[in-house]
C-alpha cells in the first residue's frame, strides 16, 4: 500500500534531560520508528536534534582529527629530531589521548565540541614539549641514561615555567559564567598535567 505523510503533522512532547547519551538514543529511536513506518515524506524534527546530531558525530570526528593531527605532527618532527625520537613520540600519543580521556572521566567532563577541540590541541602541546626534551637529548653527550637525565634536568624548568604561565593566563576562565569556558580551563589543566608527565617522565 502507498502511504503519504505529506500534509500531516504529529506533535510529540519530548522530555530531554541532561543525559546527552539518552537524548541521542531517543532521537535515533524516533527516526528509526518513522523510517520503519513506511510513510513517504515523513521527517522527525526538533530544535534540539541539531545539537544532538552534531554531538552524536563527535566521537568519530574526534578520532579522525586526532589521527590526522598526529600524522602531521610526526611529519613535522622528522624535520627537527632524529627519526627514532620521532617514532617514540608518536608511540606516546595514543597513551596521551587515553590519559586525557581518563582525566575527563574522573572529572565528569563529557565529549562535546569544547572537549574535542582541547583533545586536538593536546596533540600539538604535548608533542611540542616532548620534542624539546628529545632535542635536548640529542644535544647531550655521554651514555643514554645520563643524556636522558641531563635532558630532563635542562628542560624541566622551562617546561614547568611555561605550563604555569599557561594555567595562570587562563585561570580567569574558571570563574566565567559560561560553562564552556570552565570546561575549556578544566581541559587545559588536564592536558597540561598529562603533557608534563609524558615529556618529563614517560618519554625519557
Amino acid at each position: 500500500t502507498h502511504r503519504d505523510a505529506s500534509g500531516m503533522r504529529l506533535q510529540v512532547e519530548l522530555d530531554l534531560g541532561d543525559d546527552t547519551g539518552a537524548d541521542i538514543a531517543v532521537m535515533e529511536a524516533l527516526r528509526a520508528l518513522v523510517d520503519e513506518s513506511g510513510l513517504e515524506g515523513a521527517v522527525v524534527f526538533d530544535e534540539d536534534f541539531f545539537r544532538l546530531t552534531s554531538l552524536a558525530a563527535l566521537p568519530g570526528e574526534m578520532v579522525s582529527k586526532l589521527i590526522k593531527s598526529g600524522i602531521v605532527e610526526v611529519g613535522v618532527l622528522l624535520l627537527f629530531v632524529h627519526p627514532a625520537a620521532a617514532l617514540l613520540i608518536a608511540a606516546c600519543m595514543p597513551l596521551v589521548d587515553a590519559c586525557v580521556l581518563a582525566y575527563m572521566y574522573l572529572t565528569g567532563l563529557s565529549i562535546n565540541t569544547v572537549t574535542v577541540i582541547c583533545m586536538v590541541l593536546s596533540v600539538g602541546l604535548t608533542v611540542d614539549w616532548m620534542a624539546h626534551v628529545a632535542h635536548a637529548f640529542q644535544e647531550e653527550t655521554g651514555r643514554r641514561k645520563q643524556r636522558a637525565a641531563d635532558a630532563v634536568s635542562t628542560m624541566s624548568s622551562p617546561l614547568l615555567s611555561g605550563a604555569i604561565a599557561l594555567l595562570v593566563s587562563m585561570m580567569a576562565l574558571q570563574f566565567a559564567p559560561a560553562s564552556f569556558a570552565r570546561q575549556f580551563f578544566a581541559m587545559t589543566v588536564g592536558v597540561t598535567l598529562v603533557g608534563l608527565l609524558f615529556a618529563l617522565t614517560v618519554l625519557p
Side-chain angles (χ1 to χ4, degrees):
T1 59
H2 177 75
R3 291 179 290 182
D4 191 350
S6 60
M8 296 174 56
R9 181 176 182 181
L10 176 64
Q11 184 171 349
V12 179
E13 184 175 348
L14 298 177
D15 185 16
L16 299 177
D18 296 328
D19 190 342
T20 303
D23 294 344
I24 292 174
V26 169
M27 176 188 70
E28 293 177 346
L30 282 174
R31 287 176 171 174
L33 181 63
V34 170
D35 291 340
E36 294 171 0
S37 67
L39 292 173
E40 295 185 9
V43 177
V44 179
F45 172 79
D46 186 88
E47 291 182 357
D48 283 332
F49 284 2
F50 288 112
R51 175 180 61 88
L52 294 176
T53 299
S54 63
L55 290 177
L58 275 180
E61 286 294 318
M62 180 181 67
V63 173
S64 174
K65 295 295 186 298
L66 288 175
I67 292 175
K68 292 176 182 178
S69 59
I71 292 174
V72 172
E73 293 288 350
V74 172
V76 173
L77 279 174
L78 290 172
L79 301 176
F80 299 100
V81 298
H82 192 276
L87 291 177
L88 284 175
I89 293 174
C92 287
M93 291 316 301
L95 299 176
V96 170
D97 295 333
C99 288
V100 174
L101 288 173
Y103 168 82
M104 291 172 58
Y105 175 79
L106 293 174
T107 54
L109 293 167
S110 61
I111 295 179
N112 55 48
T113 305
V114 174
T115 54
V116 167
I117 290 173
C118 291
M119 283 288 293
V120 176
L121 291 176
S122 71
V123 175
L125 185 64
T126 307
V127 166
D128 180 59
W129 287 349
M130 288 193 289
H132 282 301
V133 175
H135 187 266
F137 175 83
Q138 292 179 195
E139 297 297 314
E140 300 292 343
T141 58
R143 294 181 178 273
R144 289 186 177 182
K145 289 185 178 181
Q146 185 60 44
R147 292 169 65 192
D150 291 342
V152 172
S153 177
T154 301
M155 296 307 305
S156 57
S157 179
L159 292 184
L160 288 173
S161 298
I164 293 172
L166 173 64
L167 294 179
V168 170
S169 67
M170 303 187 69
M171 190 173 294
L173 293 177
Q174 177 61 26
F175 307 100
S179 61
F180 74 86
R182 297 192 298 273
Q183 289 180 1
F184 194 93
F185 177 73
M187 284 294 295
T188 302
V189 171
V191 168
T192 300
L193 293 176
V194 172
L196 289 174
L197 172 68
F198 274 80
L200 298 177
T201 60
V202 178
L203 178 65

